[in-house]
Amino acid sequence: GINAEYGKQWYQRRVRGNQMEYFLTVCLLAMLIPKKNRKAVYEHLFKEGVMVAKKDFNLPAHPELKTVPNLQVIKAMQSLRSKGYVKEQFAWRHFYWYLENDGITYLRDYLHLPQEIVPSTLKRAAARTNTAAPRARMQGGAPGTAPKSDDRDAYRSAEGKQVGPGQEFQPEFRGGYGRGAPQ
């Protein structure tokens, strides 16, 4: 009778309420990022191969991307992480994301880049030229003169000098204090 009808209405309201709660939760958790901001994040990630962001959701702008809020950077990178395109590390209130091989191909397609362009983490270091390093000089010496090696050797050598605590030093051990004290 009445109890069964009331229970049915309560159940229907409960199901509709849960659907509405689910809808609101999904809408609040999903973040809409403007395309220009998402593109800026992806370009920076592809150029560098890595991305760092402080875990501060209220930061008005990311330190490296001045026009993009930090929250949008974090959410864009979380999206890439959930797809398996980046690897995430977290330490000392900072997120660190590293671009995976699948992420490189995805970003290359998204940004319409040719195969020749690669992230800086995959580039080889340029060959160094063999230029002479500037020589050290002693205080008061001429700019091009090297320090005398015998000065260093004399400073470091212990010949003819008494090294150590000396004859009068007699250490005395009297048990201990605190936990090491005899009882």
Side-chain angles (χ1 to χ4, degrees):
I2 295 174
N3 287 341
E5 189 66 32
Y6 175 75
K8 188 176 177 184
Q9 289 174 355
W10 177 84
Y11 178 75
Q12 287 175 345
R13 276 184 277 153
R14 178 80 176 158
V15 168
R16 264 187 268 136
N18 282 346
Q19 288 173 347
M20 188 59 143
E21 287 174 21
Y22 175 76
F23 177 75
L24 288 174
T25 304
V26 168
C27 288
L28 290 175
L29 290 178
M31 178 162 205
L32 298 175
I33 301 173
K35 189 171 182 177
K36 66 177 179 116
N37 290 355
R38 185 178 302 273
K39 189 174 179 185
V41 171
Y42 287 178
E43 285 174 350
H44 181 74
L45 175 64
F46 190 83
K47 185 178 97 177
E48 299 295 326
V50 295
M51 178 73 81
V52 179
K54 184 177 180 183
K55 186 182 176 183
D56 184 1
F57 302 120
N58 298 321
L59 203 61
H62 188 267
E64 295 172 5
L65 304 169
K66 303 296 184 193
T67 60
V68 183
N70 200 42
L71 178 63
Q72 291 181 3
V73 172
I74 292 171
K75 292 301 177 182
M77 297 308 296
Q78 283 179 354
S79 173
L80 290 175
R81 184 204 55 190
S82 70
K83 296 174 187 174
Y85 296 144
V86 295
K87 186 176 84 169
E88 180 180 277
Q89 291 282 327
F90 183 79
W92 292 89
R93 295 181 51 100
H94 283 79
F95 291 104
Y96 300 91
W97 294 282
Y98 307 96
L99 199 53
E100 299 279 346
N101 291 335
D102 294 339
I104 292 172
T105 57
Y106 172 77
L107 290 180
R108 193 174 278 136
D109 292 341
Y110 185 87
L111 299 171
H112 309 293
L113 297 172
Q115 289 290 107
E116 297 83 38
I117 299 175
V118 294
S120 63
T121 52
L122 296 180
K123 291 180 183 174
R124 299 270 182 218
R128 293 186 177 189
T129 59
N130 291 335
T131 58
R135 299 178 75 183
R137 62 183 176 120
M138 293 179 56
Q139 287 182 332
T145 60
K148 297 178 186 174
S149 63
D150 56 2
D151 289 345
R152 284 189 189 165
D153 293 338
Y155 173 75
R156 291 181 182 159
S157 69
E159 292 181 35
K161 297 180 183 175
Q162 283 287 354
V163 179
Q167 295 293 334
E168 303 92 40
F169 182 70
Q170 297 295 324
E172 184 178 322
F173 300 102
R174 294 179 274 155
Y177 297 99
R179 289 184 170 186
Q183 298 184 7

